[in-house]
Amino acid sequence: METETKENKGKQQILFVLHTLSVGGAERQLSSVANEMARRGAQVQILLIDAPTVLFDLHPAVRVVCVNQKATAATAENTAPCTLFRMKKAPRLSAVEKIRLSWAHLFDKKRAQYLEQEAYLKLSFALPLREYLAQYPDATVISCMTIPNLSTMMALQTLPNRAIFSDRTDPQTEYPPSSPYCRMKRRYYPRAQAAVFQTPQARDYYTFLPETKKYLIPNFIDGAKYPPRYTGQRRHVIVNFCRLQPVKNLPLLFDAFALLHGDAPDYRLEIYG
């Protein structure tokens, strides 16, 4: 167990939860927010539930911890140190949970599928998170992306922390309605005191959350990291950079460009992914 140092006593405590800090938009946004919070004097930690990879520049005061019990030492390419957290005992299901899962396999295959996914999240991520977060009862916990969100809200069921989750994808296309993860969202997301969304469509998808919990905050960029705005002659090309996956909703881009192309046929669309 870690103890709070005299230097950090009284500081605002913020713990972020994410898969890892490799490439990605959510990772970039989270690292930027963490850096700014640390710059303002908060005690900031980033908890990784997957791999101990850190490829973004972080403020020296930001601490990174990997809670994945199967993770090995951080890679040499890391841009910041990453500590490995180890539980006192190996995570395991309770006797009641095991019995419930066994009965479901016998009589209700759909429920068994749900319980299997729930057990996976609990054993892999939620139980290690809960043991670590229990050391910081006054901290605000902010998670990003669906699996970290579910695992964090699951871990916080019996803890007093203020919780915020951020949905960084299109929830209508990420998982089909029949997915166990959609059902788990209804069960665990209400634990959060606030939820952050990028678009009105994502915000409105969660009809089971009260409107008072929902906040719309678009992505931002750090202007200091970009070159001066180009003022020369531009090519008639629109460029898109993204992962080539359904969640990025490229058909919407195609439809929008088709409308533009009708009025400006000399323009073309280029996609890099």
Side-chain angles (χ1 to χ4, degrees):
M1 276 285 191
E2 297 186 11
T3 57
E4 187 179 38
T5 64
K6 291 183 178 180
E7 180 182 355
N8 291 326
K9 191 172 182 179
K11 286 187 176 182
Q12 181 183 20
Q13 297 179 342
I14 303 175
L15 276 65
F16 294 95
V17 183
L18 190 63
H19 283 291
T20 186
L21 280 176
S22 58
V23 295
E27 292 83 352
R28 183 182 68 252
Q29 292 286 308
L30 185 146
S31 60
S32 296
V33 173
N35 286 340
E36 180 61 22
M37 293 296 101
R39 189 186 68 79
R40 296 187 182 192
Q43 181 184 351
V44 179
Q45 297 187 57
I46 300 177
L47 308 184
L48 307 179
I49 66 170
D50 191 356
T53 305
V54 184
L55 300 182
F56 289 87
D57 294 330
L58 296 176
H59 188 283
V62 175
R63 185 177 186 225
V64 184
V65 179
C66 181
V67 301
N68 190 326
Q69 301 301 289
K70 296 181 180 180
T72 56
T75 63
E77 291 78 15
N78 275 7
T79 56
C82 182
T83 303
L84 299 180
F85 170 71
R86 292 292 181 249
M87 299 179 68
K88 292 182 177 179
K89 296 181 180 179
R92 60 183 181 180
L93 298 176
S94 68
V96 173
E97 289 170 325
K98 291 179 181 179
I99 293 173
R100 185 185 300 126
L101 183 56
S102 297
W103 277 98
H105 277 295
L106 290 173
F107 300 107
D108 191 339
K109 297 300 182 183
K110 186 175 181 180
R111 177 167 172 76
Q113 183 185 23
Y114 170 84
L115 293 176
E116 286 280 5
Q117 291 293 332
E118 188 179 52
Y120 167 73
L121 293 188
K122 183 173 184 179
L123 293 173
S124 300
F125 312 125
L127 289 179
L129 276 171
R130 184 172 69 183
E131 186 168 317
Y132 190 86
L133 294 172
Q135 302 172 88
Y136 304 93
D138 298 325
T140 297
V141 183
I142 305 173
S143 59
C144 293
M145 306 295 285
T146 298
I147 300 304
N149 289 342
L150 288 171
S151 302
T152 301
M153 299 309 134
M154 195 182 297
L156 292 174
Q157 290 298 299
T158 58
L159 297 179
N161 304 74
R162 174 176 170 79
I164 302 171
F165 76 83
S166 178
D167 199 323
R168 313 301 299 178
T169 60
D170 178 7
Q172 299 188 64
T173 60
E174 184 181 23
Y175 297 108
S178 59
S179 168
Y181 292 128
C182 293
R183 184 176 170 187
M184 276 186 259
K185 287 181 180 182
R186 288 183 171 273
R187 178 177 180 183
Y188 292 108
Y189 276 9
R191 166 62 180 84
Q193 278 72 37
V196 176
F197 304 98
Q198 295 174 271
T199 66
Q201 292 81 6
R203 177 195 61 197
D204 296 342
Y205 174 84
Y206 292 96
T207 57
F208 57 88
L209 293 176
E211 294 300 317
T212 54
K213 283 189 175 183
K214 300 177 184 179
Y215 294 86
L216 191 63
I217 303 177
N219 276 339
F220 60 88
I221 61 173
D222 184 354
K225 294 183 178 180
Y226 289 83
R229 183 181 179 88
Y230 179 72
T231 57
Q233 185 175 2
R234 293 178 179 272
R235 296 183 298 142
H236 288 184
V237 177
I238 296 175
V239 177
N240 177 71
F241 296 84
C242 72
R243 287 181 286 116
L244 302 182
Q245 294 182 342
V247 72
K248 294 302 182 181
N249 198 12
L250 286 175
L252 178 62
L253 172 63
F254 301 152
D255 291 342
F257 181 74
L259 295 174
L260 170 67
H261 196 260
D263 295 329
D266 57 326
Y267 273 79
R268 75 173 186 270
L269 174 66
E270 295 181 359
I271 298 174
Y272 298 86

